Amino acid sequence: MKALVLSGGSGTRLRPITHTSAKQLVPVANKPVLFYGLEAIAEAGITEVGVVVGDTADEIREAVQDGSRFGLDVTYIRQEAPLGLAHAVLIARDFLGDDDFVMYLGDNFIVGGITGLVQEFRAERPDASILLTQVLDPRAFGVAELDADGRVASLVEKPEHPKSDLALVGVYLFAPTIHDAVRAIRPSERGELEITHAIQWLIDQGRDVCSTTISGYWKDTGNVADMLEVNRSVLETIEPCTAGVVDGSSEIIGRVRIEKGATVSGSRIVGPVVIGAGAVISGSYIGPFTSVSEGCRIEDSEVEYSIVLRDSTLTGVRRVEASLIGRDVQVTPAPRNPSAHRLVLGDHSKVQISS
């Protein structure tokens, strides 16, 4: 079995972060979300991985390289435009050959990995196996309708009036028959070759399509709220460790990981928290569910339930929470007089200001 990991797409819901960074490389607990998927694939015993890349190809290549750090052999497959998940399968035909494969969306996060799912697929050998989970608003997802026997009866991509609350999770397992399906379908109204249409084609042809409804943790990390929630979930599992320097006037409470080269002075850190290598925390409070990346400097500030990307600085700020702060950002207080806010914001930014 091989794996096809989708790492293209523009990440519009994470702008402005994704104007300058691939959405799959935004870190969760100081590790790119894409890496969790690659580790899950390796743990399932799969070694041959095709990574579909788009405009951020160079950044993905630099981060993943040849895949050997994960125990994988990675082949890069260029998708010239985001033309749909089924299109990704279509252009990966030469790499996939006639092997079964798992297709994994690189910005998805699943607790517990995929080893059990891969083993079950190998044992039962259906034409396709999909993962489903109940969601509050299925209109943003591919939605499955099951028949009375629990079999997949139909799939609809982002329906206006969903027939169920079962959304497709971004992990699919396929036999080679999926290649007939992706060649048979036509682009949707969005101009994309939808994987839901390809799976529906298999159903219409009487092929064996099975599903597993998962109750465990899953997130599509396509927006800030979900990124913060995934960060919270991962931080709850970290092993506390102090590899950096913490002075005697600081207080460390709970599950806190301070990486090599980081320094903490005159500060209070309440876990779960991870402080990246080379970060400097001085006279500050770092609250639960916060990830501070490498090279950051936080002075005389309060940060909680947030992700701070590498080389950013917060000085004299009270208080930052539920925030995603990009790379090499500077956050400082506004001058008291005159009473005004001075902003330099990129396209698609979102700002909340206390009046």
Side-chain angles (χ1 to χ4, degrees):
M1 179 175 279
K2 294 177 180 175
L4 188 66
V5 178
L6 275 56
S7 296
S10 56
T12 55
R13 291 179 294 161
L14 276 175
R15 287 176 178 169
I17 299 293
T18 49
H19 279 309
T20 55
S21 178
K23 64 178 179 177
Q24 298 85 4
L25 297 181
V26 176
V28 170
N30 285 3
K31 181 166 66 176
V33 66
L34 173 62
F35 289 9
Y36 293 95
L38 294 175
E39 289 169 355
I41 288 166
E43 289 170 2
I46 300 170
T47 58
E48 293 184 74
V49 179
V51 178
V52 177
V53 294
D55 291 341
T56 59
D58 291 344
E59 191 177 7
I60 297 292
R61 286 176 182 268
E62 182 180 356
V64 178
Q65 299 182 6
D66 64 358
S68 58
R69 63 183 292 184
F70 307 100
L72 303 173
D73 180 10
V74 168
T75 299
Y76 292 95
I77 303 164
R78 179 77 186 206
Q79 187 179 35
E80 295 303 324
L83 297 176
L85 305 188
H87 181 262
V89 175
L90 192 67
I91 64 173
R93 183 69 174 92
D94 289 343
F95 165 76
L96 295 169
D98 291 325
D99 293 310
D100 296 342
F101 67 97
V102 56
M103 184 168 73
Y104 198 114
L105 305 193
D107 59 352
N108 275 226
F109 186 89
I110 300 176
V111 168
I114 61 171
T115 300
L117 300 167
V118 169
Q119 291 174 344
E120 184 177 346
F121 184 86
R122 283 172 164 162
E124 297 184 1
R125 295 305 312 281
D127 291 278
S129 179
I130 60 176
L131 271 64
L132 305 173
T133 191
Q134 291 181 306
V135 296
L136 293 176
D137 186 2
R139 291 175 298 175
F141 303 93
V143 176
E145 182 182 9
L146 305 183
D147 62 21
D149 297 324
R151 307 292 296 177
V152 182
S154 68
L155 296 171
V156 182
E157 185 66 29
K158 297 180 174 62
E160 184 67 27
H161 303 288
K163 294 183 179 181
S164 82
D165 62 354
L166 294 174
L168 275 74
V169 173
V171 176
Y172 310 78
L173 296 103
F174 293 119
T177 47
I178 191 63
H179 297 297
D180 295 330
V182 298
R183 288 195 299 269
I185 62 174
R186 295 293 177 264
S188 67
E189 293 180 357
R190 302 192 302 165
E192 297 185 7
L193 289 177
E194 311 285 2
I195 198 66
T196 46
H197 292 179
I199 300 170
Q200 184 65 52
W201 186 89
L202 291 175
I203 295 170
D204 294 341
Q205 296 297 312
R207 298 290 188 170
D208 185 14
V209 176
C210 63
S211 67
T212 300
T213 300
I214 62 173
S215 57
Y217 190 84
W218 165 79
K219 280 289 183 182
D220 169 5
T221 61
N223 60 54
V224 174
D226 285 341
M227 283 295 307
L228 293 173
E229 175 61 18
V230 170
N231 191 62
R232 180 201 63 77
S233 177
V234 175
L235 286 176
E236 288 182 331
T237 67
I238 65 169
E239 291 298 324
C241 172
T242 302
V245 177
V246 179
D247 75 353
S249 63
S250 295
E251 185 178 16
I252 309 297
I253 301 172
R255 194 183 294 270
V256 176
R257 187 174 76 214
I258 301 173
E259 297 179 352
K260 186 177 180 179
T263 61
V264 178
S265 61
S267 298
R268 187 170 188 258
I269 301 179
V270 180
V273 165
V274 59
I275 307 295
V280 176
I281 312 297
S282 175
S284 296
Y285 166 75
I286 310 297
F289 310 119
T290 300
S291 294
V292 178
S293 296
E294 64 272 16
C296 289
R297 179 176 291 270
I298 300 178
E299 300 175 337
D300 191 29
S301 299
E302 299 177 3
V303 185
E304 185 169 311
Y305 192 62
S306 295
I307 299 173
V308 185
L309 274 59
R310 70 171 187 258
D311 300 324
S312 289
T313 301
L314 285 78
T315 304
V317 181
R318 314 255 188 242
R319 154 182 181 132
V320 174
E321 63 180 29
S323 298
L324 174 57
I325 298 173
R327 297 175 295 184
D328 200 23
V329 169
Q330 295 182 6
V331 183
T332 59
R336 293 184 179 274
N337 292 304
S339 181
H341 299 286
R342 184 177 181 181
L343 307 173
V344 179
L345 302 174
D347 295 346
H348 310 287
S349 295
K350 293 182 180 180
V351 176
Q352 292 180 322
I353 298 176
S354 298
S355 57

